[in-house]
Amino acid sequence: MSSLSLHKLSAAALPVLLTPAATQCDLAGVWRNHRQHIDALLLQTGGVLLRGFEVPSVDAFQNFARGYGHALLNYEFASTPRSAVSSGVYTSTEYPAHQHIPLHNEQAYTREWPMHIWFHCVTAPAVGGETPIADSRAIYRDMPAALRERFAQGLLYVRNYSEDFDLSWQQVFQTDSREAVEAFCRRAAIECQWTGHGELRTLQRCQGVERHPVTGEMVWFNQAHLFHASNLQAEVRESLQDLLGEDKLPRNVFFADGSPIADGLLDEVRAVLAANTVSFPWQDGDILMLDNMLAAHARTPFTGPRKVVVAMAQPHGNLPAA
């Protein structure tokens, strides 16, 4: 029977580090024999890091994630470029190595998201490339009360799709069919508008905060600080505003009533996120499992080869009843 050693990776509770006791490295056995324990740790801390287990291939990681009991999800209504590695397993976001990806809960810019997300480090980078994480409950508690109350009224995400400046609608919706896009948008409570040039604009009102369906705790759950124009470098923002106009930026976010969100408010949000960030260096073979509502994740810049693959499962959300 597989056994585990439980450790604190740092002074923070997140993530809990689980390593094989003695020389036992049976990953499947750990899942089979310790599922309830791992589930409890996830709800308590938001994240579990499995280190020192044998993960000989991406297929082995895929089977491990599937063993949780839910079908692995496709990456739909994408916000960043990824490539499929195998069924239900994707590359992590394919932004250039020098770019930082801010903290976020996966697909919190939609009204349906995965409850669980796994990261598997196939190749750890020589320098940097960590996947920082943060407790979404602590972020919610630490956020200024006025911001919590304003964000609780909801957000409006606006996207203008273009191959020249961001992902095309064909990439985001994984189809060339306008009818398929419209059907997806109807199901997902997204308003879609086609322009005269065959381009697409979408608008979706989403949550700014959310309640976890199991623990009942409130969490900070949005991607306003990523979608807002203030996330762009100043010179890039100015160039895009001059070229496209404020209303045609590739992505932006507003309060649910359509009123703008001041840059300074997002600066406050980013400060709270930074104060709650926990980071650790990847090691080859690591598997990090997060409760996607309880823990946010990010990516730091890196040098050298880096390969981290991702799987997601168990859809949940607040879509209106059909």
Side-chain angles (χ1 to χ4, degrees), residues 1-28:
M1 180 173 181
S2 299
S3 55
L4 292 174
S5 295
L6 186 151
H7 309 268
K8 272 193 173 182
L9 193 62
S10 67
L14 177 70
V16 172
L17 173 63
L18 299 180
T19 60
T23 58
Q24 175 57 259
C25 296
D26 179 15
L27 183 64

Side-chain angles (χ1 to χ4, degrees), residues 14 22 33 40 53 65 71 79 89 100 149 180 203 212 218 220 222 232 254 259-260 265 286-288 308 316:
L14 177 70
N33 298 317
F53 296 91
S79 138
V89 178
H100 172 77
E149 293 168 8
L203 304 91
H212 193 278
M218 295 300 299
W220 189 257
N222 65 78
L232 297 169
F254 304 85
S259 59
L265 293 183
D286 282 354
I287 293 178
L288 174 68
V308 176
H316 177 73

Side-chain angles (χ1 to χ4, degrees), residues 94-212:
E94 296 172 350
Y95 280 165
H98 69 276
Q99 291 187 8
H100 172 77
I101 301 174
L103 277 173
H104 61 284
N105 304 83
E106 194 66 32
Q107 294 189 302
Y109 59 88
T110 72
R111 296 183 62 176
E112 188 174 45
W113 54 84
M115 285 297 296
H116 293 107
I117 182 166
W118 293 264
F119 300 87
H120 170 44
C121 179
V122 179
T123 304
V127 178
E130 297 89 355
T131 299
I133 53 182
D135 186 330
S136 299
R137 294 166 290 194
I139 293 168
Y140 176 86
R141 291 192 300 266
D142 292 351
M143 204 63 65
L147 268 180
R148 280 203 310 265
E149 293 168 8
R150 192 68 173 96
F151 272 67
Q153 298 172 36
L155 300 168
L156 174 65
Y157 292 92
V158 179
R159 299 178 69 175
N160 293 287
Y161 305 88
S162 167
E163 291 182 350
D164 297 325
F165 303 107
D166 202 350
L167 299 177
S168 68
W169 61 264
Q170 292 91 341
Q171 290 173 287
V172 169
F173 293 95
Q174 301 173 42
T175 181
D176 292 319
S177 166
R178 290 194 187 190
E179 291 77 13
V181 170
E182 291 167 1
F184 180 94
C185 288
R186 282 193 298 272
R187 185 190 70 80
I190 299 169
E191 179 185 349
C192 64
Q193 304 170 348
W194 298 101
T195 73
H197 304 288
E199 295 178 344
L200 176 66
R201 173 184 174 91
T202 61
L203 304 91
Q204 188 181 33
R205 286 175 172 80
C206 296
Q207 67 291 322
V209 301
E210 192 57 75
R211 187 178 299 277
H212 193 278

